[in-house]
Amino acid sequence: MTATDLNIEDSNRTSARKAPGLGLLLITGVTVLLFTLPLLIPPVFLNYAIKMMVAGLFALAFNLLWSHARLLSFGHAAYYAIGAFAVIHALSLSERGVLSIPTPLIPMMGLIAGALIGLVVGYLATVRGGTYFAMITLAVGELLLSIAPKWEAVFGGESGLSSMRMPWAGLTFGMVGEVYIVVLIWCLFGLVLLRWFSATPLGQIALAIGDNEKRLRFLGYRTHAVKTVIFSLSAAVSGLAGGLIAFAMESASFELFAGANSAMPVMHTFLGGADVFLGPIAGGMGLTLFSELASNASRLWLLYMGVIFVIVMMFAPEGLAGFISRHVKLSLTCWRLLIADYAVFLSGCAGLVLSGVWMAEVSYRLMGTSPIVGLTPDGTITLFEWTFSATSKPLWFAAVAVFVLSLFGVLAAAKRARTTWLTIGQKKDGLR
Amino acid sequence: MEMLSISLLNGTIYGLLLFMIAAGLTLIFGMMGVLNFAHGAFYMLGAYAGYVLSARVGFFPGLLVAGLIVAAIGAMVERYMLRSVHAHGHAHELLLTFGLLFVFDEIVKFFFGYYPVSYRVPETLSFSVFRIGSLEYPAYRLFVGLVSIGFFGALVLILRFTRIGLVVRAAVHKPMMVEALGHNVPLVMLLVFAVGAGMAGLAGAVAGAFYPTSPAMASEIGTIVFVVVVVGGLGSLGGAFIASLMIGILTTLMVGVDTTLADTLSFVGFGSWGKDIGGIFAVPLSASAGTLPFALMLMVLLLRPAGLMGERT
């Protein structure tokens, strides 16, 4: 039975099929670029690329539950970590010669382990929806987090487990380039799997659960079974993501279960944009790259991320990808009217970010709470090779002025743009 | 026996403290349908406010002002943040509070660093009240218990016997209906949110002097309070009370238990099997006390999903 048989109205959540053309070309281009990346960039960046792809895949797996059945999980670290440990155990088994599977196929163990645990937890968790579901997943995550460090045999206690990738078919997997290619192929596999699932009848029923579960039950569908299956699939791909990280790092510890790992896919997904298929990937990859780069430069990275998350939730709840795509669609017809507002808005945002970050960084050093960053004895700071006095009045005045002006500019531009859209909308209605 | 009575007393006081935090959370859930992730952060903010203020204005005024400050923060969060997100649905409200927890956590780290601060019990309360056998009992614990009981009593009296209490109780169950009857439900929500946040803040200020005050306390107490609220039944104050005491007493008692699960299994002849599995079967139960609340919550959710006193939906 397909979506059309069910007579589901084509909302913007159901994927509209477009004619392949430009999109196909773009996909091929990006894929070719990704496969040739080891030739183009130095190995350090390949490690970043691995983390980015895994974060993107993890967010996408998390978002399977939200974008389809409108289920919010706050404990996805559990499946991520279990996938990682499954891969570490498989690696050490193959190292000891007990298990003979080709090394590149070992991340599969993460997928299988995730699917199995997901089937059990999913069956229990999806009995209830909404807040109860969120709480059950949170409880399962915390439960495993509290058990893991005490179960030495399985999770290696406080220190964790490590293992080695065995050579296979002439490949040593000692080079980061080889690992990158394996991770890339698995990530693409996960991506295609999730994309394919959305298009299956089961995927469409899962979508309908998000719209109106009660009605679906009246139609005779066993929604609990469907939710269990998509939970298991989501956990499986999360396990694959965790397995890939373990495969790349050759180690895993109980800290993978920590709440921070459950928070990451949530942040990535909703910052990126939950209702655009590539939103979570963009969020996961973008934020991971930023955090890798920014965590070296600033100790306050998590604060910035939290603030951005709160702002996005308040003013652009559809996420950045959703926000941008909506604006592109809206303004294509009337960009001449709006371009000045957009320019003011964007430069205002830049001003807010620059002055806000400057003030936060400088006052953080003035506070002296961090054991790592602080002032030099003469009270100066060096940020980006620029040395200045931390208490310089003109600089603080300038920063506050830029902040206030930018805030004003952003608000004014947003208001003007909204008025323009309203007038255009009214004109269109009038023509009809 | 001495150990048992001390544990029971400690557990009861811990439970009362949990209730002081959980009460606001469960009332807010009843009215808004949102479980406030940032509630644990209010507790933490209260502790830090108490730490800063007690050094300036004295300990007891400091506690009170800390509670008021956190209540004001709570009111701002409700009025200027949650209310504007309300139109986008419950999930986004949940996500917003989730982000706020993150931000409050980082702000505290910004000002006070990653390590616990030295927020101490004042001289006037650091003596022992009585002895049970050879064990002395600190007065401050009793103070924590008394404050919690005081607030519990005040809350019950207000909710039970005043007009505003009546409106709040009605709004917890049927907010739309109460609004239709002409009551200003948004204002009531603001009030309940502020009072709930203030109680969590005061609990933090009181407990922070006794337990360590560190940035980790928000998520630690936050998750336990979630468990309390879910076990008690979302929106049910009575349920939250029973669940707080239950979890407080059980976790405190469990810390004192030395046997392992494997030992228990050996009664039925599976002891060596249990030891072979290792992990949770071989650690003393005292070490897995942190596991208990979550196990309890899972059990309750599966056996009686509405919680102990929650309505069936």
Side-chain angles (χ1 to χ4, degrees):
Chain A
M1 185 169 281
T2 63
T4 40
D5 292 335
L6 278 169
N7 208 3
I8 294 171
E9 276 183 44
D10 193 32
S11 68
N12 38 3
R13 284 176 63 214
T14 43
S15 50
R17 291 263 169 87
K18 283 181 200 147
L22 196 66
L24 199 65
L25 205 68
L26 202 69
I27 290 169
T28 324
V30 170
T31 314
V32 170
L33 181 72
L34 282 174
F35 274 101
T36 49
L37 213 57
L39 308 171
L40 304 174
I41 60 173
V44 188
F45 292 105
L46 276 184
N47 272 324
Y48 288 174
I50 288 173
K51 283 185 188 162
M52 286 164 65
M53 291 190 304
V54 169
L57 185 68
F58 188 23
L60 202 65
F62 161 84
N63 193 35
L64 177 74
L65 282 170
W66 170 252
S67 65
H68 284 74
R70 290 292 184 233
L71 293 169
L72 264 183
S73 161
F74 284 99
H76 253 49
Y79 322 111
Y80 184 76
I82 279 170
F85 277 103
V87 165
I88 286 297
H89 282 294
L91 279 176
S92 64
L93 283 180
S94 89
E95 192 184 356
R96 275 183 273 142
V98 185
L99 194 74
S100 57
I101 33 174
T103 306
L105 289 183
I106 282 180
M108 175 70 99
M109 291 300 152
L111 192 84
I112 294 168
L116 291 178
I117 187 95
L119 213 55
V120 177
V121 177
Y123 180 80
L124 302 175
T126 55
V127 174
R128 299 293 299 263
T131 308
Y132 283 96
F133 174 82
M135 289 303 108
I136 298 175
T137 51
L138 187 75
V140 172
E142 293 287 328
L143 193 68
L144 290 173
L145 174 64
S146 65
I147 291 173
K150 290 171 193 120
W151 206 325
E152 294 250 347
V154 182
F155 300 114
E158 303 272 342
S159 54
L161 296 172
S162 58
S163 185
M164 296 273 280
R165 291 180 295 260
M166 287 287 105
W168 174 78
L171 296 167
T172 57
F173 297 103
M175 306 275 284
V176 66
E178 291 164 352
V179 178
Y180 169 83
I181 293 293
V182 173
V183 172
L184 174 62
I185 291 173
W186 277 107
C187 281
L188 289 176
F189 168 77
L191 184 87
V192 171
L193 180 70
L194 293 176
R195 189 71 179 147
W196 164 80
F197 174 78
S198 300
T200 59
L202 190 63
Q204 296 292 316
I205 291 166
L207 262 179
I209 288 178
D211 285 337
N212 194 336
E213 188 185 343
K214 210 174 259 175
R215 182 177 292 183
L216 209 62
R217 266 212 301 272
F218 282 140
L219 287 172
Y221 286 98
R222 283 179 301 165
T223 53
H224 184 204
V226 177
K227 287 196 283 185
T228 306
V229 169
I230 61 164
F231 191 98
S232 173
L233 181 61
S234 169
V237 180
S238 302
L240 175 63
L244 288 173
I245 273 294
F247 184 79
M249 303 294 158
E250 297 182 308
S251 67
S253 82
F254 81 96
E255 282 168 9
L256 286 169
F257 283 99
N261 268 339
S262 293
M264 281 311 128
V266 180
M267 294 248 174
H268 293 162
T269 298
F270 288 94
L271 271 179
D275 287 340
V276 183
F277 182 73
L278 292 179
I281 300 182
M285 294 185 86
L287 283 172
T288 308
L289 178 65
F290 271 123
S291 74
E292 289 289 330
L293 299 175
S295 61
N296 294 332
S298 167
R299 306 281 301 168
L300 297 177
W301 156 247
L302 287 174
L303 175 64
Y304 301 145
M305 196 160 104
V307 170
I308 294 172
F309 185 76
V310 168
I311 291 175
V312 167
M313 279 303 103
M314 286 181 68
F315 300 107
E318 69 273 59
L320 289 177
F323 184 76
I324 292 169
S325 73
R326 186 164 61 97
H327 277 251
V328 169
K329 262 182 224 156
L330 271 172
S331 54
L332 272 180
T333 46
C334 53
W335 62 273
R336 273 168 217 281
L337 288 171
L338 288 165
I339 192 145
D341 291 331
Y342 276 122
V344 173
F345 184 83
L346 289 177
S347 47
C349 286
L352 278 178
V353 169
L354 282 177
S355 55
V357 166
W358 186 88
M359 288 192 283
E361 292 290 334
V362 173
S363 32
Y364 188 49
R365 284 161 177 75
L366 284 172
M367 287 298 304
T369 40
S370 163
I372 293 153
V373 294
L375 298 173
T376 50
D378 55 341
T380 58
I381 292 178
T382 308
L383 285 180
F384 300 109
E385 302 182 2
W386 171 38
T387 307
F388 54 89
S389 162
T391 47
S392 149
K393 282 212 180 76
L395 278 177
W396 271 96
F397 183 75
V400 174
V402 170
F403 191 84
V404 172
L405 275 179
S406 307
L407 191 64
F408 186 71
V410 164
L411 294 179
K415 199 176 171 190
R416 268 181 51 114
R418 200 172 300 131
T419 334
T420 317
W421 280 320
L422 284 179
T423 27
I424 291 168
Q426 276 161 4
K427 269 184 201 156
K428 272 188 188 159
D429 286 345
L431 283 175
R432 251 182 244 153
Chain B
M1 199 57 219
E2 297 159 15
M3 265 319 282
L4 187 68
S5 41
I6 290 258
S7 290
L8 274 176
L9 198 58
N10 284 351
T12 312
I13 287 172
Y14 182 53
L16 286 169
L17 183 77
L18 283 181
F19 174 74
M20 204 165 147
I21 310 164
L25 190 64
T26 202
L27 284 180
I28 291 166
F29 180 85
M31 297 187 81
M32 302 187 173
V34 178
L35 209 53
N36 177 14
F37 259 100
H39 208 72
F42 291 142
Y43 170 79
M44 173 186 67
L45 289 178
Y48 276 92
Y51 162 66
V52 171
L53 290 166
S54 62
R56 309 257 150 78
V57 298
F59 185 78
F60 297 101
L63 294 185
L64 207 65
V65 180
L68 290 176
I69 289 178
V70 178
I73 296 175
M76 306 265 263
V77 165
E78 204 279 335
R79 177 67 186 81
Y80 295 105
M81 303 180 106
L82 273 179
R83 206 171 284 185
S84 63
V85 179
H86 186 74
H88 303 302
H90 285 334
H92 277 96
E93 289 178 282
L94 193 67
L95 287 167
L96 178 72
T97 61
F98 179 68
L100 282 175
L101 170 68
F102 216 83
V103 171
F104 285 137
D105 236 37
E106 292 302 318
I107 288 177
V108 162
K109 283 180 194 159
F110 183 102
F111 286 108
F112 301 98
Y114 288 73
Y115 303 108
V117 291
S118 67
Y119 181 25
R120 283 177 202 288
V121 176
E123 287 294 315
T124 43
L125 279 177
S126 49
F127 59 90
S128 60
V129 242
F130 53 80
R131 303 165 66 97
I132 299 179
S134 58
L135 299 160
E136 296 188 339
Y137 204 79
Y140 196 77
R141 260 190 205 270
L142 279 191
F143 175 68
V144 175
L146 286 178
V147 171
S148 309
I149 289 178
F151 266 86
F152 173 61
L155 201 66
V156 167
L157 290 179
I158 290 174
L159 286 177
R160 196 79 191 81
F161 296 110
T162 65
R163 199 180 144 72
I164 178 88
L166 190 71
V167 176
V168 168
R169 275 187 297 145
V172 167
H173 290 286
K174 294 269 182 295
M176 302 282 273
M177 192 64 215
V178 175
E179 194 156 23
L181 290 172
H183 293 285
N184 190 347
V185 170
L187 185 71
V188 173
M189 280 190 182
L190 182 73
L191 208 70
V192 169
F193 203 97
V195 169
M199 275 175 70
L202 189 76
V206 172
F210 196 79
Y211 301 105
T213 298
S214 75
M217 67 198 288
S219 48
E220 272 168 19
I221 207 81
T223 38
I224 300 278
V225 172
F226 274 172
V227 172
V228 166
V229 168
V230 172
V231 168
L234 286 164
S236 156
L237 209 57
F241 185 68
I242 295 172
S244 326
L245 284 182
M246 196 161 89
I247 286 173
I249 291 172
L250 279 180
T251 44
T252 316
L253 283 182
M254 202 158 156
V255 173
V257 180
D258 258 344
T259 51
T260 63
L261 277 181
D263 292 342
T264 324
L265 283 178
S266 66
F267 279 114
V268 280
F270 289 109
S272 60
W273 176 74
K275 282 204 180 69
D276 287 343
I277 295 180
I280 39 167
F281 287 95
V283 241
L285 282 177
S286 55
S288 40
T291 312
L292 180 86
F294 303 107
L296 192 71
M297 170 167 159
L298 273 183
M299 236 154 63
V300 167
L301 280 171
L302 298 173
L303 296 178
R304 196 183 147 77
L308 295 178
M309 312 254 300
E311 288 171 30
R312 288 194 178 277
T313 43

